[in-house]
Amino acid sequence: MPTINDVARAAGVSPSTVSYVLSGRRPISAQTRARVQAAIAELGFHPHAGARALASSKTNVVALVVPLRVDVNVPVIMQFATAVVTAARTHNHDVLLLTKDEGTAGLERVAHSTMVDALIVMDVEKHDVRIPALRRLKQPTVLIGLPDDPAGIICVDLDFAAAAKETLRHLAWHGHRRIALVGPSPAVYRRGTSYADRFLAGFTEASAELGLETMTHPCEPAQDGVRTCLADIDAALDGVTALVVHNEEALRPLLDQLRAAGRRVPEDISVVAVCPRDVALSMPIPLTSVDIPSHDVGGLAVETVMKLLDGRHTEPIRLLPPTLVERESCAAPARSTGEVFKIS
Amino acid sequence: MPTINDVARAAGVSPSTVSYVLSGRRPISAQTRARVQAAIAELGFHPHAGARALASSKTNVVALVVPLRVDVNVPVIMQFATAVVTAARTHNHDVLLLTKDEGTAGLERVAHSTMVDALIVMDVEKHDVRIPALRRLKQPTVLIGLPDDPAGIICVDLDFAAAAKETLRHLAWHGHRRIALVGPSPAVYRRGTSYADRFLAGFTEASAELGLETMTHPCEPAQDGVRTCLADIDAALDGVTALVVHNEEALRPLLDQLRAAGRRVPEDISVVAVCPRDVALSMPIPLTSVDIPSHDVGGLAVETVMKLLDGRHTEPIRLLPPTLVERESCAAPARSTGEVFKIS
DNA sequence: ACCGCCTGTCGAAGCGCTTCGACGAACCCA
DNA sequence: TGGGTTCGTCGAAGCGCTTCGACAGGCGGT
């Protein structure tokens, strides 16, 4: 591996000149620059990342902490991750992948050992134990999510509360009055997952504002969980005409079971999903949905990190406005209320 | 951030002694070691990764290259990734996440700049253009997959050829003679994806050995793709009694359509899937399947990398034997052949 | 008592880069 | 014509760690 000294010798300049050609931090004449670049190309020189980090206190690496759990939505995570990597690369940064199960210790490890310049943390909980630790780090952090006390930390996410409101407004506009939320699994609520909570809060609030009769129910994604969930909803909210599904994995079994029970979507019951676009489209019937724009959120997280790294100002909290796309799973409720088939 | 010198001063020893306490490369008396460790703990010292990399030529980071594409199986990729991260952590290594779309350039970038000690590459193709470049790197590489010419590179994967044989053997034992393979999407074959190819080859070979009447058909995962695929199969292989599905995303629509056409599984038609365990279990009926053991393969890849890094011997190619698990989607074919319902 | 050998510790060199201050040369304006 | 700038380059100091050779002291064997 050639070093910067080799390049300098080959180009007949000093190592510092090579460095300045590389970084552009001082003016270098066109001829010299050309000679240096030729030497770099010829020798196949790549600066040593460790040496660079040592001398400059910059690694050009950001950490990405992803949940390892299976009860969170795997494809969405993957979308975030690839969005983050892709965006980071456009800023000349790489991504170090950490799993949430290393907890606070993992964050401190990579931060204290100066492996990364900044951190992006996913799957944030309401009272996330990692947050105090993150505040103490010298590296800036961006959360994808929104904890109860975000003071001192930058957060970006989809505005899930607004998404819930938008959804209910849409259904109400269609004439629905009795609406149930099929939420994520109980485990997700139990650990206070930020997005689940915010959607729920927005749902409840909008329900009151719009004067709707609603209920909310968590849902295990497997067939059984969905069955139970639907039965509970039918029992508690007679004549429900619309379902809001904030649970990507339950979506398919739910549609299956509605069909099995002879309830047509959207004629007998409307369904609005909160999920990525491709999931909404891959269902047997294209679903009216609020998009989860993983790509945008991931990109925004990276942009924000870059801003922080070069000291530019940034909003502490950025919540992307939701977009509801009408497709084919939502219609006005049947006139004859109470005529809805029940799941046996 | 305290440095090794701060620790040395606090413990009343020289920096090299601290280093030896940390690395264990030279004997240190129990008292000294205790003093040093106390100082480390008290100061909250973490060695600077860049400095370490510079001095030792080791980064304790391995690169993981994942496909970015959407036509590959996202959850499986994620399983691999988390398995790799988890396993790497047990060996005190971190994982740098790269996407395949950076191609050869990305690999060379991280390797030449000494960001990583080794590379693990997923989504390998038959004639993968990255392989010549990988051979030239000074860092060892482990492929998850098996290219046509694996010379000089270590490969680990599930033995997909054996998986195909196992599957056909199982179906033949049940009495099936007319069997179709529903494969991955045409795009996957077109770019010569290693696992798709090997499964196909194993399938064809075993079919001949067992004297079966079989056909193979790629399948786009959406509803339409599955419909076409099933229609083609029915047209070409009259009275087919079993389907081998090597396409996780097509699985669900395929089962839907069989049901819609009134073909019961397993009474009218048997289905054997090649997919992760949890996918097989999450279907409306638990599927007999050959497991894709992402966790094991990912773990094995990391173990192999570690062996290479400390110069231990390792087999150039390790293919894990497949495990077929009987569940409920496979039975003997109906006696009255030709009585199978057709998809309209 | 002597030599050779471990054991435990230290000092210093160096890993490859960035960056700061210095400095000659060229330039502009008075 | 000279003083102040700006431009382009160099040298050297370090960033924080590992590792090698050296060496003092204690051991056992003869």
Side-chain angles (χ1 to χ4, degrees), chain B residues 5 36 65 88 166 170 203 216 220 257 269 299 302 325:
Chain B
N5 292 293
V36 168
V65 187
E166 177 84 359
H170 182 77
F203 187 91
T216 63
E220 300 278 8
Q257 297 203 7
I269 190 159
V302 170
V325 180

Side-chain angles (χ1 to χ4, degrees), chain A residues 74-126:
Chain A
V74 178
V76 174
I77 307 285
M78 194 69 195
Q79 284 180 6
F80 273 114
T82 56
V84 166
V85 173
T86 308
R89 285 304 307 140
T90 71
H91 292 273
N92 222 341
H93 281 246
D94 278 285
V95 171
L96 196 75
L97 186 63
L98 303 180
T99 56
K100 191 184 178 185
D101 66 332
E102 266 204 87
T104 302
L107 302 174
E108 289 176 335
R109 184 172 56 78
V110 298
H112 289 155
S113 63
T114 325
M115 299 185 77
V116 301
D117 292 338
L119 300 93
I120 297 178
V121 176
M122 302 186 53
D123 194 27
V124 176
E125 297 166 18
K126 281 168 61 176

Side-chain angles (χ1 to χ4, degrees), chain A residues 13-14 16-17 20 26-29 32 54-55:
Chain A
V13 298
S14 83
S16 51
T17 301
Y20 288 123
R26 288 211 178 160
I28 298 290
S29 71
T32 308
L54 180 56

Side-chain angles (χ1 to χ4, degrees), chain A residues 58-231:
Chain A
K58 287 185 187 175
T59 62
N60 276 37
V61 174
V62 322
L64 174 68
V65 187
V66 303
L68 185 64
R69 272 211 205 62
V70 194
D71 64 358
V72 286
N73 212 314
V74 178
V76 174
I77 307 285
M78 194 69 195
Q79 284 180 6
F80 273 114
T82 56
V84 166
V85 173
T86 308
R89 285 304 307 140
T90 71
H91 292 273
N92 222 341
H93 281 246
D94 278 285
V95 171
L96 196 75
L97 186 63
L98 303 180
T99 56
K100 191 184 178 185
D101 66 332
E102 266 204 87
T104 302
L107 302 174
E108 289 176 335
R109 184 172 56 78
V110 298
H112 289 155
S113 63
T114 325
M115 299 185 77
V116 301
D117 292 338
L119 300 93
I120 297 178
V121 176
M122 302 186 53
D123 194 27
V124 176
E125 297 166 18
K126 281 168 61 176
H127 299 105
D128 206 299
V129 292
R130 297 170 294 180
I131 290 181
L134 290 170
R135 285 207 188 89
R136 264 178 255 124
L137 298 183
K138 67 170 196 295
Q139 287 93 339
T141 300
V142 171
L143 301 184
I144 296 183
L146 185 59
D148 274 1
D149 177 14
I153 307 231
I154 311 293
C155 304
V156 307
D157 205 352
L158 172 66
D159 189 339
F160 278 94
K165 295 189 181 181
E166 176 84 0
T167 307
L168 279 187
R169 223 176 282 130
H170 183 78
L171 285 168
W173 178 85
H174 266 299
H176 293 272
R177 310 263 95 203
R178 300 196 159 190
I179 304 170
L181 167 62
V182 176
S185 75
V188 170
Y189 286 116
R190 215 176 300 126
R191 67 169 189 275
T193 307
S194 154
Y195 70 86
D197 231 66
R198 288 180 283 138
F199 192 88
L200 182 60
F203 186 91
T204 311
E205 197 176 314
S207 166
E209 282 173 20
L210 297 165
L212 303 173
E213 290 183 66
T214 62
M215 69 170 288
T216 63
H217 201 290
C219 180
E220 300 278 9
Q223 300 282 345
D224 288 353
V226 173
R227 198 184 333 272
T228 319
C229 177
L230 285 177

Side-chain angles (χ1 to χ4, degrees), chain A residues 231-314:
Chain A
D232 288 355
I233 289 173
D234 278 321
L237 194 66
D238 206 49
V240 57
T241 64
L243 258 24
V244 176
V245 185
H246 185 203
N247 183 329
E248 195 180 307
E249 324 207 41
L251 221 34
R252 172 70 74 143
L254 184 135
L255 294 173
D256 287 354
Q257 296 201 10
L258 288 176
R259 186 174 45 183
R263 295 162 101 162
R264 290 162 304 161
V265 175
E267 292 84 350
D268 302 323
I269 189 158
S270 286
V271 171
V272 180
V274 183
C275 66
R277 217 180 137 272
D278 52 318
V279 172
L281 288 172
S282 74
M283 292 293 144
I285 163 180
L287 301 182
T288 294
S289 73
V290 173
D291 191 26
I292 298 186
S294 328
H295 194 84
D296 298 347
V297 175
L300 179 58
V302 170
E303 292 303 326
T304 309
V305 157
M306 295 305 150
K307 270 193 192 165
L308 293 171
L309 285 180
D310 44 55
R312 281 179 284 155
H313 171 76
T314 174

Side-chain angles (χ1 to χ4, degrees), chain A residues 3-15 18 39 43:
Chain A
T3 75
I4 202 173
N5 292 294
D6 301 329
V7 174
R9 208 172 309 123
V13 298
S14 83
V18 177
L43 298 178

Side-chain angles (χ1 to χ4, degrees), chain B:
Chain B
M1 293 279 96
T3 73
I4 203 173
N5 292 293
D6 301 327
V7 174
R9 208 171 310 122
V13 299
S14 82
S16 52
T17 302
V18 177
S19 179
Y20 289 124
V21 167
L22 252 25
S23 68
R25 297 183 154 290
R26 287 213 179 160
I28 298 289
S29 71
Q31 305 96 296
T32 307
R33 199 181 316 127
R35 284 216 315 286
V36 168
Q37 276 159 346
I40 288 176
E42 190 188 348
L43 298 178
F45 166 74
H46 290 254
H48 186 293
R52 211 165 217 199
L54 181 55
S56 69
S57 313
K58 286 184 189 177
T59 62
N60 276 38
V61 175
V62 322
L64 174 67
V65 187
V66 303
L68 184 64
R69 274 212 204 61
V70 194
D71 64 357
V72 285
N73 211 315
V74 179
V76 173
I77 306 287
M78 194 70 194
Q79 285 180 6
F80 272 116
T82 56
V84 166
V85 173
T86 308
R89 285 303 307 139
T90 71
H91 292 273
N92 222 342
H93 280 246
D94 278 286
V95 171
L96 196 77
L97 187 62
L98 304 179
T99 55
K100 190 183 178 185
D101 66 332
E102 267 204 86
T104 302
L107 302 174
E108 288 176 337
R109 184 173 56 78
V110 298
H112 289 156
S113 63
T114 325
M115 300 186 76
V116 301
D117 293 338
L119 301 94
I120 297 178
V121 177
M122 299 185 57
D123 194 28
V124 176
E125 298 166 16
K126 281 168 61 176
H127 298 105
D128 205 300
V129 293
R130 298 170 294 180
I131 290 181
L134 290 171
R135 285 206 188 91
R136 265 179 253 122
L137 299 182
K138 69 170 193 298
Q139 287 93 339
T141 300
V142 170
L143 303 184
I144 296 182
L146 185 60
D148 274 2
D149 177 12
I153 308 230
I154 310 294
C155 305
V156 307
D157 205 351
L158 173 66
D159 190 337
F160 278 95
K165 294 188 182 181
E166 177 84 359
T167 307
L168 281 187
R169 224 175 283 131
H170 182 77
L171 285 168
W173 178 85
H174 267 300
H176 293 273
R177 310 262 94 203
R178 298 195 160 191
I179 305 171
L181 167 62
V182 176
S185 75
V188 169
Y189 286 116
R190 215 177 300 124
R191 67 171 188 274
T193 306
S194 152
Y195 70 86
D197 231 66
R198 287 179 284 139
F199 192 88
L200 182 59
F203 187 91
T204 311
E205 197 176 315
S207 165
E209 281 172 20
L210 297 165
L212 302 173
E213 289 183 64
T214 62
M215 68 170 290
T216 63
H217 202 291
C219 180
E220 300 278 8
Q223 299 282 346
D224 288 354
V226 173
R227 198 183 333 271
T228 319
C229 178
L230 285 177
D232 287 355
I233 289 174
D234 278 322
L237 194 65
D238 206 48
V240 57
T241 63
L243 258 23
V244 176
V245 185
H246 184 205
N247 183 330
E248 194 181 309
E249 327 209 38
L251 221 34
R252 172 70 74 142
L254 184 134
L255 294 173
D256 287 353
Q257 297 203 7
L258 288 177
R259 186 174 47 183
R263 294 162 102 162
R264 292 163 302 163
V265 175
E267 293 83 350
D268 301 324
I269 190 159
S270 288
V271 171
V272 180
V274 183
C275 66
R277 218 180 136 271
D278 52 318
V279 172
L281 288 172
S282 74
M283 292 293 143
I285 163 182
L287 300 182
T288 294
S289 73
V290 174
D291 190 26
I292 298 187
S294 326
H295 194 84
D296 297 347
V297 175
L300 180 58
V302 170
E303 292 302 326
T304 308
V305 158
M306 295 305 150
K307 269 192 193 167
L308 292 171
L309 285 180
D310 42 57
R312 280 179 286 155
H313 171 75
T314 174
E315 294 290 322
I317 298 179
R318 283 283 301 277
L319 297 181
L320 296 182
T323 350
L324 187 147
V325 180
E326 283 206 66
R327 299 201 184 85
E328 300 171 25
S329 63
C330 184
R335 271 300 156 80
S336 49
T337 57
E339 281 299 294
V340 182
F341 290 77
K342 286 296 179 53
I343 290 182
S344 57

